[in-house]
Short mmCIF file of all heavy atoms in Angstrom, two decimals:
data_model
loop_
_atom_site.label_atom_id
_atom_site.label_comp_id
_atom_site.label_asym_id
_atom_site.label_seq_id
_atom_site.Cartn_x
_atom_site.Cartn_y
_atom_site.Cartn_z
N MET V 1059 19.01 15.83 5.91
CA MET V 1059 18.50 16.46 4.69
C MET V 1059 18.64 15.48 3.52
O MET V 1059 19.67 14.86 3.34
CB MET V 1059 19.27 17.73 4.41
CG MET V 1059 18.72 18.48 3.24
SD MET V 1059 19.45 20.12 3.17
CE MET V 1059 19.93 20.15 1.48
N THR V 1060 17.61 15.38 2.74
CA THR V 1060 17.61 14.49 1.58
C THR V 1060 18.40 15.12 0.44
O THR V 1060 18.20 16.27 0.10
CB THR V 1060 16.17 14.22 1.12
OG1 THR V 1060 15.44 13.66 2.19
CG2 THR V 1060 16.14 13.28 -0.07
N LYS V 1061 19.30 14.32 -0.15
CA LYS V 1061 20.09 14.80 -1.28
C LYS V 1061 19.52 14.23 -2.56
O LYS V 1061 19.57 13.02 -2.80
CB LYS V 1061 21.55 14.39 -1.12
CG LYS V 1061 22.42 14.93 -2.22
CD LYS V 1061 23.88 14.62 -1.99
CE LYS V 1061 24.69 15.19 -3.12
NZ LYS V 1061 26.11 14.98 -2.93
N TRP V 1062 18.94 15.10 -3.38
CA TRP V 1062 18.38 14.72 -4.66
C TRP V 1062 19.43 14.91 -5.74
O TRP V 1062 20.21 15.86 -5.69
CB TRP V 1062 17.15 15.57 -4.98
CG TRP V 1062 16.00 15.29 -4.06
CD1 TRP V 1062 15.76 15.87 -2.86
CD2 TRP V 1062 14.97 14.33 -4.26
NE1 TRP V 1062 14.62 15.33 -2.31
CE2 TRP V 1062 14.12 14.38 -3.14
CE3 TRP V 1062 14.68 13.43 -5.28
CZ2 TRP V 1062 12.99 13.58 -3.01
CZ3 TRP V 1062 13.56 12.63 -5.15
CH2 TRP V 1062 12.73 12.71 -4.03
N ARG V 1063 19.45 14.03 -6.74
CA ARG V 1063 20.39 14.19 -7.85
C ARG V 1063 19.65 14.02 -9.17
O ARG V 1063 18.72 13.23 -9.28
CB ARG V 1063 21.57 13.23 -7.75
CG ARG V 1063 21.20 11.79 -7.75
CD ARG V 1063 22.45 10.93 -7.51
NE ARG V 1063 22.09 9.53 -7.46
CZ ARG V 1063 22.00 8.73 -8.49
NH1 ARG V 1063 22.27 9.19 -9.70
NH2 ARG V 1063 21.66 7.48 -8.36
N LYS V 1064 20.10 14.79 -10.16
CA LYS V 1064 19.48 14.76 -11.48
C LYS V 1064 20.09 13.66 -12.34
O LYS V 1064 21.23 13.26 -12.16
CB LYS V 1064 19.67 16.09 -12.19
CG LYS V 1064 18.88 17.21 -11.58
CD LYS V 1064 19.03 18.47 -12.39
CE LYS V 1064 18.23 19.58 -11.75
NZ LYS V 1064 18.28 20.81 -12.53
N SER V 1065 19.32 13.24 -13.29
CA SER V 1065 19.78 12.27 -14.27
C SER V 1065 20.96 12.83 -15.05
O SER V 1065 21.01 14.02 -15.35
CB SER V 1065 18.64 11.93 -15.24
OG SER V 1065 19.13 11.27 -16.37
N SER V 1066 21.88 11.98 -15.43
CA SER V 1066 23.01 12.40 -16.26
C SER V 1066 22.55 12.76 -17.66
O SER V 1066 23.31 13.34 -18.43
CB SER V 1066 24.07 11.30 -16.32
OG SER V 1066 23.52 10.13 -16.87
N TYR V 1067 21.32 12.43 -18.04
CA TYR V 1067 20.78 12.75 -19.35
C TYR V 1067 20.07 14.09 -19.38
O TYR V 1067 19.50 14.48 -20.39
CB TYR V 1067 19.79 11.66 -19.80
CG TYR V 1067 20.46 10.35 -20.08
CD1 TYR V 1067 20.48 9.35 -19.13
CD2 TYR V 1067 21.11 10.13 -21.29
CE1 TYR V 1067 21.11 8.14 -19.37
CE2 TYR V 1067 21.75 8.92 -21.54
CZ TYR V 1067 21.74 7.94 -20.58
OH TYR V 1067 22.37 6.75 -20.82
N THR V 1068 20.13 14.83 -18.29
CA THR V 1068 19.46 16.12 -18.20
C THR V 1068 20.06 17.12 -19.17
O THR V 1068 21.28 17.25 -19.24
CB THR V 1068 19.58 16.68 -16.77
OG1 THR V 1068 18.96 15.77 -15.88
CG2 THR V 1068 18.91 18.03 -16.64
N GLY V 1069 19.21 17.82 -19.88
CA GLY V 1069 19.67 18.87 -20.78
C GLY V 1069 19.88 20.17 -20.02
O GLY V 1069 19.74 20.23 -18.80
N THR V 1070 20.18 21.23 -20.75
CA THR V 1070 20.44 22.51 -20.12
C THR V 1070 19.36 23.55 -20.41
O THR V 1070 19.42 24.64 -19.87
CB THR V 1070 21.79 23.07 -20.59
OG1 THR V 1070 21.79 23.17 -22.00
CG2 THR V 1070 22.94 22.19 -20.11
N GLY V 1071 18.39 23.22 -21.23
CA GLY V 1071 17.32 24.17 -21.57
C GLY V 1071 16.26 24.24 -20.49
O GLY V 1071 16.08 23.33 -19.69
N ASN V 1072 15.53 25.35 -20.46
CA ASN V 1072 14.48 25.54 -19.45
C ASN V 1072 13.29 24.62 -19.66
O ASN V 1072 12.54 24.38 -18.72
CB ASN V 1072 14.01 26.99 -19.45
CG ASN V 1072 15.05 27.92 -18.87
OD1 ASN V 1072 15.89 27.50 -18.08
ND2 ASN V 1072 15.00 29.17 -19.26
N ASP V 1073 13.09 24.12 -20.88
CA ASP V 1073 11.95 23.27 -21.16
C ASP V 1073 12.26 21.79 -20.98
O ASP V 1073 11.40 20.94 -21.21
CB ASP V 1073 11.45 23.50 -22.59
CG ASP V 1073 10.82 24.87 -22.75
OD1 ASP V 1073 10.33 25.41 -21.75
OD2 ASP V 1073 10.84 25.40 -23.87
N ASP V 1074 13.48 21.47 -20.59
CA ASP V 1074 13.87 20.08 -20.41
C ASP V 1074 13.16 19.47 -19.20
O ASP V 1074 13.04 20.09 -18.15
CB ASP V 1074 15.38 19.94 -20.19
CG ASP V 1074 16.18 20.28 -21.43
OD1 ASP V 1074 15.61 20.16 -22.53
OD2 ASP V 1074 17.34 20.67 -21.29
N VAL V 1075 12.67 18.26 -19.40
CA VAL V 1075 12.07 17.51 -18.31
C VAL V 1075 13.20 16.81 -17.57
O VAL V 1075 14.09 16.24 -18.19
CB VAL V 1075 11.07 16.47 -18.84
CG1 VAL V 1075 10.55 15.60 -17.72
CG2 VAL V 1075 9.93 17.17 -19.56
N CYS V 1076 13.18 16.88 -16.28
CA CYS V 1076 14.25 16.24 -15.53
C CYS V 1076 13.68 15.49 -14.35
O CYS V 1076 12.88 16.00 -13.58
CB CYS V 1076 15.25 17.28 -15.03
SG CYS V 1076 16.59 16.51 -14.14
N VAL V 1077 14.13 14.28 -14.22
CA VAL V 1077 13.77 13.44 -13.09
C VAL V 1077 14.93 13.47 -12.10
O VAL V 1077 16.09 13.41 -12.49
CB VAL V 1077 13.50 11.99 -13.55
CG1 VAL V 1077 13.31 11.07 -12.37
CG2 VAL V 1077 12.30 11.96 -14.46
N GLU V 1078 14.60 13.61 -10.83
CA GLU V 1078 15.61 13.55 -9.78
C GLU V 1078 15.32 12.33 -8.92
O GLU V 1078 14.16 11.95 -8.74
CB GLU V 1078 15.56 14.80 -8.90
CG GLU V 1078 15.97 16.05 -9.62
CD GLU V 1078 15.93 17.28 -8.74
OE1 GLU V 1078 14.94 17.43 -7.99
OE2 GLU V 1078 16.86 18.06 -8.79
N VAL V 1079 16.37 11.74 -8.38
CA VAL V 1079 16.23 10.59 -7.50
C VAL V 1079 16.98 10.86 -6.19
O VAL V 1079 17.92 11.65 -6.16
CB VAL V 1079 16.74 9.28 -8.15
CG1 VAL V 1079 15.92 8.92 -9.36
CG2 VAL V 1079 18.20 9.38 -8.49
N ALA V 1080 16.53 10.18 -5.15
CA ALA V 1080 17.19 10.30 -3.84
C ALA V 1080 17.14 8.95 -3.14
O ALA V 1080 16.15 8.22 -3.23
CB ALA V 1080 16.50 11.36 -2.99
N ASP V 1081 18.21 8.65 -2.43
CA ASP V 1081 18.26 7.47 -1.58
C ASP V 1081 17.59 7.83 -0.27
O ASP V 1081 18.07 8.70 0.47
CB ASP V 1081 19.71 7.05 -1.35
CG ASP V 1081 19.84 5.80 -0.52
OD1 ASP V 1081 18.83 5.33 0.06
OD2 ASP V 1081 20.97 5.28 -0.43
N LEU V 1082 16.47 7.19 0.01
CA LEU V 1082 15.69 7.49 1.22
C LEU V 1082 15.81 6.36 2.25
O LEU V 1082 14.90 6.13 3.04
CB LEU V 1082 14.22 7.73 0.86
CG LEU V 1082 13.96 8.82 -0.18
CD1 LEU V 1082 12.49 8.87 -0.54
CD2 LEU V 1082 14.45 10.17 0.32
N GLY V 1083 16.90 5.65 2.22
CA GLY V 1083 17.08 4.53 3.13
C GLY V 1083 16.56 3.26 2.50
O GLY V 1083 17.19 2.70 1.63
N GLU V 1084 15.37 2.85 2.92
CA GLU V 1084 14.77 1.63 2.37
C GLU V 1084 14.02 1.88 1.07
O GLU V 1084 13.51 0.95 0.46
CB GLU V 1084 13.83 1.01 3.40
CG GLU V 1084 14.55 0.51 4.62
CD GLU V 1084 13.62 -0.18 5.60
OE1 GLU V 1084 12.55 -0.68 5.17
OE2 GLU V 1084 13.97 -0.24 6.78
N ARG V 1085 13.92 3.12 0.65
CA ARG V 1085 13.17 3.48 -0.56
C ARG V 1085 14.04 4.36 -1.46
O ARG V 1085 14.98 4.99 -1.01
CB ARG V 1085 11.90 4.27 -0.21
CG ARG V 1085 10.99 3.66 0.83
CD ARG V 1085 10.18 2.52 0.38
NE ARG V 1085 9.14 2.89 -0.57
CZ ARG V 1085 8.46 2.00 -1.25
NH1 ARG V 1085 8.68 0.72 -1.07
NH2 ARG V 1085 7.53 2.35 -2.09
N ILE V 1086 13.66 4.42 -2.72
CA ILE V 1086 14.24 5.35 -3.68
C ILE V 1086 13.15 6.35 -4.03
O ILE V 1086 12.05 5.96 -4.44
CB ILE V 1086 14.71 4.63 -4.97
CG1 ILE V 1086 15.71 3.52 -4.67
CG2 ILE V 1086 15.27 5.64 -5.98
CD1 ILE V 1086 17.02 4.00 -4.10
N GLY V 1087 13.43 7.63 -3.83
CA GLY V 1087 12.47 8.67 -4.15
C GLY V 1087 12.70 9.19 -5.55
O GLY V 1087 13.83 9.29 -6.01
N VAL V 1088 11.61 9.54 -6.24
CA VAL V 1088 11.67 10.09 -7.60
C VAL V 1088 10.75 11.30 -7.64
O VAL V 1088 9.62 11.26 -7.14
CB VAL V 1088 11.21 9.05 -8.65
CG1 VAL V 1088 11.26 9.62 -10.05
CG2 VAL V 1088 12.03 7.77 -8.56
N ARG V 1089 11.26 12.39 -8.22
CA ARG V 1089 10.45 13.61 -8.33
C ARG V 1089 10.81 14.37 -9.59
O ARG V 1089 11.83 14.13 -10.23
CB ARG V 1089 10.63 14.51 -7.11
CG ARG V 1089 11.98 15.20 -7.06
CD ARG V 1089 12.10 16.10 -5.86
NE ARG V 1089 13.38 16.83 -5.91
CZ ARG V 1089 13.79 17.63 -4.96
NH1 ARG V 1089 13.05 17.80 -3.86
NH2 ARG V 1089 14.93 18.26 -5.07
N ASP V 1090 9.97 15.35 -9.94
CA ASP V 1090 10.18 16.24 -11.08
C ASP V 1090 10.97 17.44 -10.57
O ASP V 1090 10.54 18.13 -9.65
CB ASP V 1090 8.82 16.68 -11.62
CG ASP V 1090 8.90 17.64 -12.80
OD1 ASP V 1090 10.01 18.12 -13.11
OD2 ASP V 1090 7.85 17.89 -13.39
N SER V 1091 12.13 17.71 -11.18
CA SER V 1091 12.96 18.82 -10.71
C SER V 1091 12.29 20.18 -10.87
O SER V 1091 12.63 21.13 -10.17
CB SER V 1091 14.31 18.83 -11.44
OG SER V 1091 14.13 19.10 -12.80
N LYS V 1092 11.34 20.28 -11.80
CA LYS V 1092 10.64 21.55 -12.00
C LYS V 1092 9.59 21.79 -10.92
O LYS V 1092 9.08 22.90 -10.79
CB LYS V 1092 9.97 21.59 -13.37
CG LYS V 1092 10.96 21.72 -14.49
CD LYS V 1092 10.20 21.89 -15.79
CE LYS V 1092 11.17 22.18 -16.90
NZ LYS V 1092 10.48 22.47 -18.15
N ASP V 1093 9.25 20.77 -10.16
CA ASP V 1093 8.25 20.88 -9.10
C ASP V 1093 8.74 20.12 -7.87
O ASP V 1093 8.16 19.12 -7.47
CB ASP V 1093 6.92 20.30 -9.60
CG ASP V 1093 5.78 20.55 -8.64
OD1 ASP V 1093 5.94 21.35 -7.69
OD2 ASP V 1093 4.72 19.94 -8.84
N PRO V 1094 9.85 20.58 -7.26
CA PRO V 1094 10.46 19.81 -6.17
C PRO V 1094 9.58 19.63 -4.94
O PRO V 1094 9.79 18.71 -4.16
CB PRO V 1094 11.72 20.60 -5.84
CG PRO V 1094 11.51 21.96 -6.41
CD PRO V 1094 10.59 21.80 -7.56
N GLU V 1095 8.59 20.46 -4.76
CA GLU V 1095 7.68 20.31 -3.62
C GLU V 1095 6.42 19.55 -4.00
O GLU V 1095 5.55 19.34 -3.17
CB GLU V 1095 7.32 21.69 -3.05
CG GLU V 1095 8.52 22.48 -2.56
CD GLU V 1095 9.36 21.73 -1.53
OE1 GLU V 1095 8.78 21.07 -0.65
OE2 GLU V 1095 10.59 21.79 -1.63
N GLY V 1096 6.32 19.16 -5.26
CA GLY V 1096 5.14 18.46 -5.76
C GLY V 1096 5.17 16.98 -5.43
O GLY V 1096 5.93 16.52 -4.58
N PRO V 1097 4.33 16.21 -6.12
CA PRO V 1097 4.21 14.77 -5.86
C PRO V 1097 5.54 14.05 -6.09
O PRO V 1097 6.35 14.45 -6.92
CB PRO V 1097 3.18 14.30 -6.88
CG PRO V 1097 2.54 15.51 -7.44
CD PRO V 1097 3.47 16.66 -7.20
N ARG V 1098 5.70 12.99 -5.34
CA ARG V 1098 6.90 12.15 -5.45
C ARG V 1098 6.48 10.69 -5.48
O ARG V 1098 5.43 10.33 -4.95
CB ARG V 1098 7.82 12.38 -4.25
CG ARG V 1098 8.28 13.81 -4.18
CD ARG V 1098 8.96 14.12 -2.89
NE ARG V 1098 9.27 15.56 -2.88
CZ ARG V 1098 9.89 16.14 -1.90
NH1 ARG V 1098 10.27 15.45 -0.85
NH2 ARG V 1098 10.13 17.43 -1.96
N LEU V 1099 7.32 9.90 -6.10
CA LEU V 1099 7.10 8.46 -6.11
C LEU V 1099 8.14 7.81 -5.22
O LEU V 1099 9.25 8.30 -5.09
CB LEU V 1099 7.24 7.91 -7.54
CG LEU V 1099 6.27 8.43 -8.58
CD1 LEU V 1099 6.67 7.90 -9.96
CD2 LEU V 1099 4.86 8.04 -8.24
N GLY V 1100 7.78 6.69 -4.63
CA GLY V 1100 8.72 5.92 -3.83
C GLY V 1100 8.74 4.47 -4.30
O GLY V 1100 7.69 3.88 -4.55
N PHE V 1101 9.94 3.94 -4.47
CA PHE V 1101 10.13 2.57 -4.93
C PHE V 1101 11.06 1.84 -3.97
O PHE V 1101 11.97 2.45 -3.41
CB PHE V 1101 10.81 2.54 -6.31
CG PHE V 1101 10.03 3.17 -7.42
CD1 PHE V 1101 10.16 4.51 -7.73
CD2 PHE V 1101 9.17 2.39 -8.19
CE1 PHE V 1101 9.46 5.09 -8.76
CE2 PHE V 1101 8.46 2.96 -9.24
CZ PHE V 1101 8.61 4.31 -9.52
N SER V 1102 10.87 0.55 -3.84
CA SER V 1102 11.89 -0.24 -3.17
C SER V 1102 13.10 -0.26 -4.10
O SER V 1102 12.98 -0.02 -5.31
CB SER V 1102 11.40 -1.67 -2.92
OG SER V 1102 11.27 -2.38 -4.14
N SER V 1103 14.27 -0.54 -3.57
CA SER V 1103 15.48 -0.60 -4.40
C SER V 1103 15.32 -1.65 -5.50
O SER V 1103 15.72 -1.44 -6.65
CB SER V 1103 16.70 -0.92 -3.56
OG SER V 1103 16.96 0.13 -2.68
N GLU V 1104 14.71 -2.76 -5.16
CA GLU V 1104 14.50 -3.84 -6.13
C GLU V 1104 13.57 -3.40 -7.26
O GLU V 1104 13.85 -3.62 -8.43
CB GLU V 1104 13.94 -5.08 -5.44
CG GLU V 1104 13.73 -6.26 -6.36
CD GLU V 1104 13.20 -7.47 -5.63
OE1 GLU V 1104 13.45 -7.62 -4.43
OE2 GLU V 1104 12.50 -8.27 -6.28
N ASP V 1105 12.46 -2.78 -6.90
CA ASP V 1105 11.51 -2.32 -7.92
C ASP V 1105 12.11 -1.22 -8.79
O ASP V 1105 11.89 -1.19 -10.00
CB ASP V 1105 10.22 -1.81 -7.28
CG ASP V 1105 9.36 -2.93 -6.73
OD1 ASP V 1105 9.56 -4.10 -7.12
OD2 ASP V 1105 8.49 -2.63 -5.89
N PHE V 1106 12.87 -0.31 -8.20
CA PHE V 1106 13.50 0.75 -8.97
C PHE V 1106 14.52 0.17 -9.95
O PHE V 1106 14.58 0.58 -11.11
CB PHE V 1106 14.16 1.78 -8.05
CG PHE V 1106 14.65 3.00 -8.77
CD1 PHE V 1106 13.76 3.91 -9.31
CD2 PHE V 1106 16.01 3.24 -8.89
CE1 PHE V 1106 14.21 5.04 -9.98
CE2 PHE V 1106 16.47 4.37 -9.56
CZ PHE V 1106 15.58 5.26 -10.10
N GLY V 1107 15.30 -0.79 -9.50
CA GLY V 1107 16.25 -1.46 -10.38
C GLY V 1107 15.55 -2.15 -11.54
O GLY V 1107 16.02 -2.11 -12.68
N GLY V 1108 14.41 -2.78 -11.25
CA GLY V 1108 13.62 -3.42 -12.31
C GLY V 1108 13.08 -2.41 -13.31
O GLY V 1108 13.07 -2.66 -14.51
N LEU V 1109 12.64 -1.26 -12.81
CA LEU V 1109 12.15 -0.20 -13.69
C LEU V 1109 13.26 0.28 -14.62
O LEU V 1109 13.07 0.40 -15.83
CB LEU V 1109 11.60 0.97 -12.87
CG LEU V 1109 11.19 2.22 -13.65
CD1 LEU V 1109 10.04 1.93 -14.60
CD2 LEU V 1109 10.84 3.34 -12.69
N LEU V 1110 14.44 0.53 -14.07
CA LEU V 1110 15.57 0.98 -14.89
C LEU V 1110 15.95 -0.07 -15.94
O LEU V 1110 16.23 0.28 -17.09
CB LEU V 1110 16.78 1.30 -14.01
CG LEU V 1110 16.65 2.51 -13.09
CD1 LEU V 1110 17.92 2.68 -12.27
CD2 LEU V 1110 16.32 3.76 -13.86
N ALA V 1111 15.92 -1.32 -15.55
CA ALA V 1111 16.25 -2.40 -16.50
C ALA V 1111 15.25 -2.42 -17.66
O ALA V 1111 15.64 -2.56 -18.82
CB ALA V 1111 16.27 -3.74 -15.78
N ARG V 1112 13.97 -2.26 -17.36
CA ARG V 1112 12.94 -2.24 -18.41
C ARG V 1112 13.11 -1.04 -19.33
O ARG V 1112 12.95 -1.15 -20.55
CB ARG V 1112 11.55 -2.24 -17.80
CG ARG V 1112 11.21 -3.57 -17.12
CD ARG V 1112 9.79 -3.60 -16.65
NE ARG V 1112 8.92 -3.62 -17.83
CZ ARG V 1112 7.63 -3.33 -17.79
NH1 ARG V 1112 7.05 -2.99 -16.64
NH2 ARG V 1112 6.89 -3.38 -18.88
N ILE V 1113 13.47 0.11 -18.77
CA ILE V 1113 13.71 1.30 -19.59
C ILE V 1113 14.90 1.05 -20.51
O ILE V 1113 14.84 1.32 -21.71
CB ILE V 1113 13.94 2.54 -18.70
CG1 ILE V 1113 12.64 2.92 -17.99
CG2 ILE V 1113 14.49 3.70 -19.53
CD1 ILE V 1113 12.81 3.96 -16.90
N ARG V 1114 15.97 0.52 -19.97
CA ARG V 1114 17.19 0.27 -20.77
C ARG V 1114 16.93 -0.74 -21.89
O ARG V 1114 17.52 -0.63 -22.96
CB ARG V 1114 18.31 -0.23 -19.87
CG ARG V 1114 18.87 0.85 -18.98
CD ARG V 1114 19.99 0.32 -18.10
NE ARG V 1114 20.44 1.37 -17.21
CZ ARG V 1114 20.53 1.24 -15.89
NH1 ARG V 1114 20.23 0.10 -15.30
NH2 ARG V 1114 20.96 2.24 -15.15
N ARG V 1115 16.06 -1.68 -21.66
CA ARG V 1115 15.73 -2.69 -22.70
C ARG V 1115 14.71 -2.16 -23.70
O ARG V 1115 14.36 -2.84 -24.66
CB ARG V 1115 15.19 -3.97 -22.04
CG ARG V 1115 16.24 -4.75 -21.28
CD ARG V 1115 15.74 -6.12 -20.88
NE ARG V 1115 14.53 -6.10 -20.06
CZ ARG V 1115 14.49 -6.22 -18.73
NH1 ARG V 1115 15.60 -6.38 -18.04
NH2 ARG V 1115 13.33 -6.22 -18.10
N GLY V 1116 14.18 -0.97 -23.49
CA GLY V 1116 13.23 -0.38 -24.41
C GLY V 1116 11.83 -0.96 -24.29
O GLY V 1116 11.05 -0.89 -25.23
N GLU V 1117 11.51 -1.52 -23.14
CA GLU V 1117 10.21 -2.16 -22.95
C GLU V 1117 9.09 -1.18 -22.61
O GLU V 1117 7.92 -1.55 -22.66
CB GLU V 1117 10.31 -3.21 -21.84
CG GLU V 1117 11.21 -4.37 -22.18
CD GLU V 1117 11.34 -5.36 -21.03
OE1 GLU V 1117 10.63 -5.23 -20.02
OE2 GLU V 1117 12.17 -6.27 -21.16
N LEU V 1118 9.43 0.05 -22.29
CA LEU V 1118 8.42 1.04 -21.91
C LEU V 1118 8.37 2.17 -22.91
O LEU V 1118 9.41 2.65 -23.37
CB LEU V 1118 8.73 1.60 -20.52
CG LEU V 1118 8.83 0.57 -19.39
CD1 LEU V 1118 9.26 1.24 -18.11
CD2 LEU V 1118 7.49 -0.12 -19.20
N ASN V 1119 7.19 2.61 -23.24
CA ASN V 1119 7.02 3.76 -24.12
C ASN V 1119 7.07 5.01 -23.25
O ASN V 1119 6.15 5.27 -22.48
CB ASN V 1119 5.69 3.68 -24.86
CG ASN V 1119 5.50 4.84 -25.80
OD1 ASN V 1119 6.33 5.73 -25.90
ND2 ASN V 1119 4.38 4.83 -26.50
N LEU V 1120 8.14 5.78 -23.35
CA LEU V 1120 8.34 6.94 -22.49
C LEU V 1120 8.01 8.26 -23.18
O LEU V 1120 8.33 9.32 -22.68
CB LEU V 1120 9.78 6.95 -21.97
CG LEU V 1120 10.18 5.70 -21.20
CD1 LEU V 1120 11.64 5.78 -20.82
CD2 LEU V 1120 9.31 5.49 -19.99
N ASP V 1121 7.35 8.19 -24.32
CA ASP V 1121 6.99 9.42 -25.05
C ASP V 1121 5.73 10.03 -24.49
O ASP V 1121 4.84 9.45 -24.05
CB ASP V 1121 6.79 9.14 -26.53
CG ASP V 1121 8.11 8.74 -27.18
OD1 ASP V 1121 9.14 9.29 -26.78
OD2 ASP V 1121 8.07 7.89 -28.08
#
């Protein structure tokens, strides 16, 4: 069974957007917690790490 975990930045309100991630072996899965059966993204560990680094540096507009 895949274990999904929420971001530590997740709020407690019903309108909060929350991203969940899961270790899928050779891939990292990403999904919307409000739609757990909906579309999912898959990244290699390297690509996911690069994405997180770009977010932390403020290189992506996430609004």
Side-chain angles (χ1 to χ4, degrees):
M1059 185 168 130
T1060 302
K1061 183 175 180 177
W1062 292 88
R1063 60 185 178 88
K1064 290 184 180 183
S1065 165
S1066 60
Y1067 292 98
T1068 299
T1070 57
N1072 289 335
D1073 291 334
D1074 292 335
V1075 174
C1076 181
V1077 172
E1078 293 181 316
V1079 296
D1081 182 350
L1082 304 175
E1084 294 184 24
R1085 309 284 291 169
I1086 303 295
V1088 179
R1089 72 179 185 184
D1090 179 351
S1091 65
K1092 289 185 173 185
D1093 188 11
E1095 300 305 319
R1098 299 169 185 181
L1099 299 173
F1101 297 90
S1102 69
S1103 294
E1104 182 179 332
D1105 287 342
F1106 188 69
L1109 174 63
L1110 292 179
R1112 291 186 68 197
I1113 291 169
R1114 288 180 184 128
R1115 290 191 302 261
E1117 294 177 7
L1118 302 175
N1119 181 359
L1120 303 176
D1121 293 324

